[in-house]
Amino acid sequence: MTTNDFDVIVVGAGPAGSAAAITAARAGARVVLIERGPYPGAKNMFGGVVYGRIMDTLIPGWYDEMPVQRWITRRSTMLLAGDRSFSVDFRSGAWGRAPYNGATVYRSDFDSWLADQAVAAGATLVCDTVVTGLLRDGTRVVGVQTDRDDGDLRAPMVVACDGVNTFLAKEAGVAGDTAAGHYTLGVKETLALDRGEIESRFNVRGTDGVDIEVVGSTGAVPGGGFIYTNLDTVSVGVVLRLPELASARRRPEAILAEFKEHGAVAPLVEGAEIVEYSAHLIPEGGRDVMGSFGCDGMLVAGDAAALCLAAGIWLEGVNFAIGSGAVAGRVAARSARQNQTDVAVGQYRTELESNFVLADHNKLRGAPHLILGERMQQRYPQIMCDIAEGMFTVENPKPKPGLSKIARSALRRHKVRIRDVARDGRDIWRTFG
Amino acid sequence: MIRPDQPEYPDVAFTDRMDTVEFRVGERAHITVNGDACQGCTTQACVTACPANLFVPRADGGIVFNYEQCFECGTCYMVCNTEGAITWTYPDGGHGVVFHSA
C-alpha cells in the first residue's frame, strides 16, 4: 500500500491556496502548500483592491497586520466618451477606520503575508516548485507530480488553487467553459508618484486612497480601465476581452497609452515614471461558465474555479479566492480524516452556494453579458456625456432645453431606442436589484 | 501590421517598459511555437495580443517566439486558432516572471 505524504496538498500559494492551507491546517490536517514562484505573489497581479472582511473570522484583527498600501475611502465610476467624462464619486470616512472596506496592496506583500498565516497555522510552504500534473487512481485524484527530483506527492485530498490557467482542473476534466471570450487580459503600470502629489492629485490625506473604475476607455475592445492609489505609486491599467483584442489589431499597451492620455486621466498620472509593468488574465465568464469545482480527491478554488466577480460596479476576486479557499481547506481536511474523498466536492459546492461565494455569482450571473455588451461599452457612455453636456452648456440667448428633449436627442444620435433602454434597465434591475 | 520594432506607445519605449520587470530566465523554453503550423495563419492574434510582444512575424509567414520576457499570462494559447501551434507550460520552479509591485 502506498503511504500518504500529507493529508491535504494545496497547489498555489495565492489567496485561495493560503486560505485553504490555513483552514485545513487548523482542522488538524498535515498540509503542504506548493508555490511555483520564488515567493508567494511573485506570479500574481491584480488591479487592485482587497476587500478584507472575509478575513474577520479567518485572521481576527487582520487589518492591523495586513501589508496595506492605502485604505480606499473614495470610489469613482467614470464613463469616458471622446474627450468627455461623466463620474459618480463617493467618499466615506468610515471606510478609513476599522474594520475598513477595501485596501490597495501589492500582491508580493499581501500573498506572502497570507502564506505566512498558513505557515503559522502549521502548513508546510514549498516555493520554487511547479506542479506538473495529477496522480490518479482511476478517476480519483491521489496526489500531484512536481518538477522536483522524486517529486511525486501523495495525499487523500488535493486543493487546486493554480490560478486562471488551471492546468489541474483542465487535466481532471472539471474546468468549465474556457473559451477565450470568457477571459480578459489585464495590463497595468505601477507609476511612481510621491505621497504629496498623490494627496493633491487624488484629493485624499494620510493613508486614505482612491479607486476609480472606468467604462468607455478601451475603444472597440470591450473592457474597462482602472486607477488605484498606492502609498507612493499609482496603478493604472486596462482590462481587454481577448477575442476582440486579438481581432482589433491594437496592442494592449497602445490602448493603455490612449487611456492615460484622456483629459480626465492624464492630470492624475502625467510625469509619473513607470516602476513595473505587468499583465495577467482574468476569468470573467461568471456563474454560467464555471466547472464542477472538483472531483473525487480534488477541490478547485479561486481563479481556477472562475470565482471572480467582474460585474461593472463590482470588481472583486481576492475575497472570492479567500472565501472559496477557506471552505475548500476545511472540507478537504474533513474528507481526508474520514477517508471519504468522493463526497468532498458535493459538500464543498453546497457550502459555497450557502455563502456569498456562489450566492453573489448566482445573483449576478447576467452581469458579464450586460457589462461587456455593445450598448454599455460604447453607447451609454456617449449618451450620458451628451445629456450632461446638454444640461450644463449655457447657450444664451437660447433658453435651456428640457431634460427629456436632451435625452431623446442623445438616444437618437447614438441609435438607441427607448425600448432598448427599457430592456437594459429591466435587466440591470433584475441583475443588480 | 504591427511590428515589434515599431512600438505604438508614445511615452516609453517598449524595451524600457519591459526592463521594469524582473525575469529569472530558465534554461528551458517553457513555450514553444511550431513555426510551420503558423504558416497558414492569417489572423496572427498572438502578435497583437501578447502583452510582452514576444511573437515576431517572419518574412516567410511564420512566427518566431522569444520566451525570456514572458508574463506567463496564457493570452497567446487562448487566442490562437491553430491546433498544435503553441505548446505552453510554466517555467521550471523559481524561474520566469517575478512581480514586486503588481
Side-chain angles (χ1 to χ4, degrees):
Chain A
M1 186 180 154
T2 359
T3 55
N4 284 312
D5 303 286
F6 292 93
D7 298 318
V8 177
I9 296 168
V10 181
V11 183
S18 288
I22 290 170
T23 56
R26 284 186 190 159
R30 295 171 301 156
V31 180
V32 64
L33 176 58
I34 306 174
E35 166 58 41
R36 68 186 184 87
Y39 53 80
K43 303 292 182 181
N44 295 345
M45 168 274 206
F46 77 153
V49 173
V50 171
Y51 296 95
R53 297 299 301 276
I54 182 63
M55 293 185 285
D56 281 356
T57 51
L58 199 65
I59 306 166
W62 57 272
Y63 41 76
D64 292 327
E65 300 171 27
M66 183 172 110
V68 169
Q69 290 291 321
R70 284 175 185 268
W71 297 104
I72 300 297
T73 56
R74 238 192 91 197
R75 270 202 73 155
S76 264
T77 300
M78 188 189 283
L79 307 177
L80 299 186
D83 63 355
R84 304 173 300 170
S85 68
F86 182 95
S87 285
V88 177
D89 194 271
F90 178 75
R91 184 190 291 266
S92 167
W95 289 356
R97 299 186 292 271
Y100 304 97
N101 186 38
T104 49
V105 303
Y106 290 155
R107 292 296 296 276
S108 55
D109 298 338
F110 177 79
D111 292 18
S112 290
W113 169 76
L114 200 59
D116 287 345
Q117 312 304 309
V119 171
T124 303
L125 173 66
V126 180
C127 291
D128 299 312
T129 305
V130 181
V131 169
T132 53
L134 296 169
L135 297 174
R136 316 277 287 266
D137 179 2
T139 56
R140 186 178 147 207
V141 174
V142 296
V144 298
Q145 300 168 300
T146 75
D147 66 348
R148 295 282 186 119
D149 293 337
D150 303 315
D152 289 2
L153 287 175
R154 289 180 171 268
M157 289 300 300
V158 171
V159 183
C161 306
D162 54 335
V164 61
N165 283 299
T166 188
F167 294 112
L168 298 187
K170 288 173 187 168
E171 182 181 341
V174 300
D177 180 353
T178 57
H182 303 311
Y183 296 86
T184 57
L185 170 67
V187 292
K188 163 173 127 170
E189 294 175 2
T190 306
L191 302 169
L193 208 57
D194 72 48
R195 292 183 62 171
E197 274 297 308
I198 289 178
E199 289 190 1
S200 62
R201 292 190 192 193
F202 290 88
N203 203 5
V204 287
R205 296 289 176 268
T207 55
D208 287 0
V210 181
D211 163 343
I212 306 174
E213 317 285 355
V214 188
V215 178
S217 54
T218 50
V221 182
F226 60 83
I227 306 163
Y228 300 111
T229 55
N230 303 307
L231 196 60
D232 54 9
T233 64
V234 171
S235 298
V236 56
V238 290
V239 298
L240 306 163
R241 190 155 71 175
L242 288 185
E244 290 87 353
L245 170 65
S247 60
R249 304 251 161 185
R250 291 269 288 148
R251 295 268 321 146
E253 71 277 5
I255 297 171
L256 174 52
E258 196 171 285
F259 174 52
K260 284 173 66 186
E261 281 170 9
H262 191 280
V265 179
L268 302 176
V269 299
E270 67 194 357
E273 205 164 303
I274 179 166
V275 178
E276 189 172 51
Y277 184 50
S278 53
H280 211 277
L281 287 183
I282 308 164
E284 295 212 15
R287 185 67 184 95
D288 290 338
V289 307
M290 288 178 192
S292 47
F293 302 103
C295 58
D296 189 354
M298 185 170 97
L299 303 175
V300 187
D303 274 9
L307 291 164
C308 185
L309 194 70
I313 52 173
W314 293 300
L315 298 167
E316 303 172 19
V318 171
N319 50 337
F320 286 91
I322 294 172
S324 59
V327 174
R330 212 161 40 230
V331 171
R334 186 172 61 217
S335 300
R337 189 172 60 244
Q338 298 171 346
N339 205 18
Q340 289 191 316
T341 58
D342 55 334
V343 298
V345 65
Q347 294 171 353
Y348 174 49
R349 189 167 50 233
T350 303
E351 273 205 54
L352 294 186
E353 295 275 6
S354 70
N355 76 15
F356 78 101
V357 174
L358 282 178
D360 282 359
H361 276 101
N362 288 336
K363 180 175 162 54
L364 293 163
R365 67 168 68 222
H369 180 71
L370 262 177
I371 298 300
L372 294 177
E374 198 264 346
R375 277 198 294 279
M376 199 66 80
Q377 287 281 321
Q378 307 289 341
R379 298 182 198 234
Y380 289 147
Q382 300 270 3
I383 289 166
M384 289 303 287
C385 286
D386 279 13
I387 291 172
E389 193 158 18
M391 295 269 292
F392 299 131
T393 303
V394 180
E395 290 184 292
N396 301 147
K398 269 172 69 181
K400 293 196 187 311
L403 176 57
S404 84
K405 188 179 171 193
I406 294 171
R408 269 183 285 123
S409 79
L411 290 174
R412 206 163 38 239
R413 196 172 309 127
H414 299 290
K415 300 184 173 60
V416 173
R417 295 166 301 182
I418 299 277
R419 140 167 44 125
D420 298 326
V421 178
R423 198 169 52 217
D424 290 338
R426 186 198 62 197
D427 289 349
I428 288 168
W429 186 253
R430 279 185 184 166
T431 302
F432 295 94
Chain B
M1 174 161 306
I2 298 153
R3 314 295 302 213
D5 54 337
Q6 294 171 335
E8 287 189 8
Y9 194 73
D11 70 357
V12 49
F14 196 81
T15 50
D16 293 341
R17 165 184 300 278
M18 294 307 294
D19 282 347
T20 64
V21 191
E22 184 189 349
F23 295 98
R24 300 186 186 174
V25 180
E27 297 280 303
R28 183 179 67 87
H30 62 286
I31 297 170
T32 54
V33 176
N34 177 354
D36 296 334
C38 306
Q39 287 285 349
C41 176
T42 52
T43 54
Q44 299 197 329
C46 56
V47 176
T48 303
C50 169
N53 210 353
L54 299 176
F55 292 82
V56 183
R58 273 190 332 221
D60 66 357
I63 298 270
V64 178
F65 175 76
N66 307 296
Y67 76 95
E68 290 87 353
Q69 293 193 309
C70 173
F71 288 122
E72 302 151 38
C73 68
T75 298
C76 56
Y77 81 81
M78 288 260 190
V79 300
C80 180
N81 296 317
T82 310
E83 192 71 32
I86 296 177
T87 307
W88 209 99
T89 65
Y90 289 124
D92 296 334
H95 293 90
V97 70
V98 179
F99 289 129
H100 295 275
S101 54

